[in-house]
Amino acid sequence: MQVSQSDKLANVLYDIRGPVLKRAMQLEAQGNQILKLHIGNPAPFGFEAPDEILQDVIRNLPAAHGYSDSKGILSARRAVVQHYEQQGFPGVGVDDVYLGNGVSELIVMALQALLNNGDEVLIPAPDYPLWTASVSLCGGTPVHYLCDEDQNWMPDLEDIEAKITPATKAIVIINPNNPTGAVYTRELLQGVAELARRRGLLILADEIYDRILYDGAEHVSIAPLAPDVLSLTFSGLSKAYRVCGFRSGWMVVSGPKDHAESYIEGLDMLANMRLCPNVPGQHAIQAALGGHQSIKDLVLPGGRLREQRDRAWRLLNEIPGVSCVKPSGALYAFPRLDPEVYPIEDDQRFVLDLLESRQILVVQGTGFNWPSTDHFRIVTLQHADDLEEAIGRLAEFLAARRA
Ligand code: PLP
């Protein structure tokens, strides 16, 4: 019997763990050492989980073997409420908080509850590709609005407005952005909020990097700027707290819920259907949000993440024909390869060639729904010396290809 994948997967792509990674694993199995700059997982690069989080999970483990409430344990949801109350989120109570197996599960849930076939969702280009993939999986149509590299990768409000149609249901904002590292200004976010208000769009705000900020950048959440617009804000412990393996994330519904009873019932039903998120991981949340924010030591001057970001950014810009906007947040750089110098037809082929010939693994820009083949993403989690080695190998590879 022939078993095929469903038609629902026809437009679903997640290239961060796609065919290039598969090839890298084959090469590794053959004894090659690959320098991996493809995935935002802090653990393999010596970033330790904060001890108070580990201790809390360990202490609670013996009592964490049963299912919890579908939305998650109360103590963690209270901690999330307190966290957002302090930031002026409008009307958030424990019932508005959904814990999940990472933000990933909640993104799919939020879209499944929302979308009918053909409904459109505005998503940034470039994006974290789970958003585009999830919209497609849920029967929706992803519509990409452009972020402008010449404006520090800020979203282009005019482009957003031009792409709104009667079928548009929601707008996704990823701030700080993966893959560009852009941190959005208050003015820009006010512009998006105004647009969502005027055109009746739900705001979906992915703020998982909200504490990974460099050079004094300030993170502004969009939900408090739009108290009269229904907003879902997503965040979790994977990045700033370095425990992505715990699969611990949350989603908070804020704004006018009286017009969204049916949607919220849908969210509740999907939360019930998945029974509950991983319970030991939920016990990390209260300790994380309430404890010492050790991420600051890593992102301030002299901190490891900041030093690595600096080194990667400087070295990339030193390569002829390569330019990279300085990331203000998150864990990535998204450099541009001047098409006049490096004419690239197929950027997946390009990163495969780079992998085969220099043993470094990055992700092609089209994997982030960037519309042309002139970008790629590197992760800045590797130690500075390894980043230098990797970017050195990239420079050699590019030197041989210069047009
Ligand atoms: N959102 C963004 C922008 C991400 O970069 C990631 C992971 O890289 C996620 C969501 C998924 O995070 P989680 O580990 O909470 O599922």
Side-chain angles (χ1 to χ4, degrees):
M1 188 183 75
Q2 186 71 30
V3 182
S4 308
Q5 60 175 236
S6 76
D7 295 342
K8 293 189 202 100
L9 298 188
N11 296 312
V12 177
L13 281 176
Y14 189 75
D15 280 344
I16 299 173
R17 292 179 185 238
V20 184
L21 175 63
K22 204 167 164 187
R23 181 66 192 132
M25 285 162 71
Q26 283 168 353
L27 289 170
E28 253 183 351
Q30 290 161 10
N32 295 283
Q33 271 212 329
I34 309 292
L35 266 173
K36 298 202 186 90
L37 303 115
H38 71 295
I39 190 173
N41 178 9
F45 306 112
F47 288 96
E48 286 175 6
D51 196 49
E52 68 269 22
I53 296 183
L54 295 182
Q55 292 312 323
D56 238 31
V57 173
I58 292 166
R59 200 161 44 78
N60 283 289
L61 197 58
H65 58 293
Y67 293 130
S68 70
D69 184 283
S70 321
K71 289 186 181 175
I73 58 174
L74 207 54
S75 56
R77 285 192 284 142
R78 279 203 189 111
V80 173
V81 169
Q82 199 183 19
H83 173 70
Y84 285 112
E85 261 174 3
Q86 283 162 0
Q87 296 177 44
F89 272 56
V92 171
V94 283
D95 284 341
D96 305 313
V97 178
Y98 299 75
L99 306 187
N101 293 309
V103 165
S104 306
E105 181 188 34
L106 297 165
I107 289 175
V108 178
M109 241 169 75
L111 294 167
Q112 267 177 337
L114 181 71
L115 297 178
N116 288 316
N117 288 347
D119 283 347
E120 294 176 5
V121 178
L122 290 159
I123 302 177
D127 76 334
Y128 174 60
L130 183 65
W131 280 103
T132 298
S134 304
V135 168
S136 298
L137 182 66
C138 298
T141 304
V143 176
H144 293 105
Y145 63 84
L146 290 177
C147 298
D148 186 351
E149 191 165 19
D150 294 332
Q151 301 293 329
N152 283 329
W153 287 115
M154 289 295 134
D156 181 338
L157 283 176
E158 277 182 23
D159 191 53
I160 295 177
E161 177 114 49
K163 287 177 174 159
I164 298 175
T165 76
T168 312
K169 279 271 185 90
I171 178 161
V172 176
I173 291 287
I174 305 172
N175 174 39
N177 188 270
N178 174 7
T180 65
V183 178
Y184 298 165
T185 60
R186 185 178 295 272
E187 293 68 39
L188 183 275
L189 293 166
Q190 274 162 342
V192 175
E194 192 276 320
L195 228 153
R197 179 179 301 123
R198 188 157 45 80
R199 306 296 297 263
L201 305 181
L202 171 66
I203 295 176
L204 301 168
D206 183 341
E207 301 186 348
I208 196 163
Y209 298 101
D210 61 355
R211 295 192 172 193
I212 306 186
L213 303 165
Y214 309 109
D215 312 325
E218 185 202 5
H219 178 261
V220 178
S221 284
I222 188 166
L225 302 179
D228 50 346
V229 178
L230 193 75
S231 304
L232 271 57
T233 301
F234 300 80
S235 192
L237 303 187
S238 289
K239 311 296 176 174
Y241 302 92
R242 287 118 34 229
V243 290
C244 53
F246 288 3
R247 309 308 298 125
S248 196
W250 57 83
M251 169 177 89
V252 178
V253 183
S254 64
K257 281 156 246 163
D258 42 338
H259 297 301
E261 277 169 18
S262 148
Y263 178 51
I264 290 169
E265 267 173 32
L267 288 177
D268 289 350
M269 191 183 61
L270 292 177
N272 291 341
M273 279 170 64
R274 56 91 201 240
L275 306 189
C276 69
N278 169 45
V279 179
Q282 298 181 44
H283 283 286
I285 293 175
Q286 193 179 13
L289 291 178
H292 168 64
Q293 299 301 310
S294 50
I295 189 70
K296 288 194 181 147
D297 305 337
L298 295 169
V299 296
L300 288 175
R304 195 182 145 190
L305 280 174
R306 155 88 187 246
E307 296 291 301
Q308 289 167 196
R309 187 274 323 237
D310 283 350
R311 182 90 67 108
W313 172 73
R314 180 173 55 76
L315 293 171
L316 285 165
N317 280 301
E318 280 173 14
I319 304 174
V322 177
S323 56
C324 183
V325 176
K326 198 171 197 176
S328 300
L331 304 170
Y332 315 96
F334 196 60
R336 174 175 188 267
L337 299 158
D338 183 345
E340 307 253 307
V341 186
Y342 307 106
I344 295 167
E345 261 179 38
D346 174 347
D347 62 348
Q348 177 169 307
R349 186 67 260 160
F350 171 82
V351 298
L352 269 171
D353 289 347
L354 178 62
L355 171 69
E356 302 271 357
S357 67
R358 303 283 161 168
Q359 287 76 48
I360 61 172
L361 177 60
V362 298
V363 182
Q364 66 274 22
T366 54
F368 303 91
N369 296 293
W370 183 242
S372 41
T373 54
D374 54 357
H375 283 74
F376 64 96
R377 184 190 79 167
I378 73 163
V379 173
T380 56
L381 285 166
Q382 286 268 15
H383 282 281
D385 289 348
D386 288 331
L387 278 172
E388 188 148 347
E389 169 68 24
I391 297 170
R393 287 192 213 168
L394 169 74
E396 288 167 9
F397 175 77
L398 288 173
R401 288 176 66 114
R402 221 159 279 155

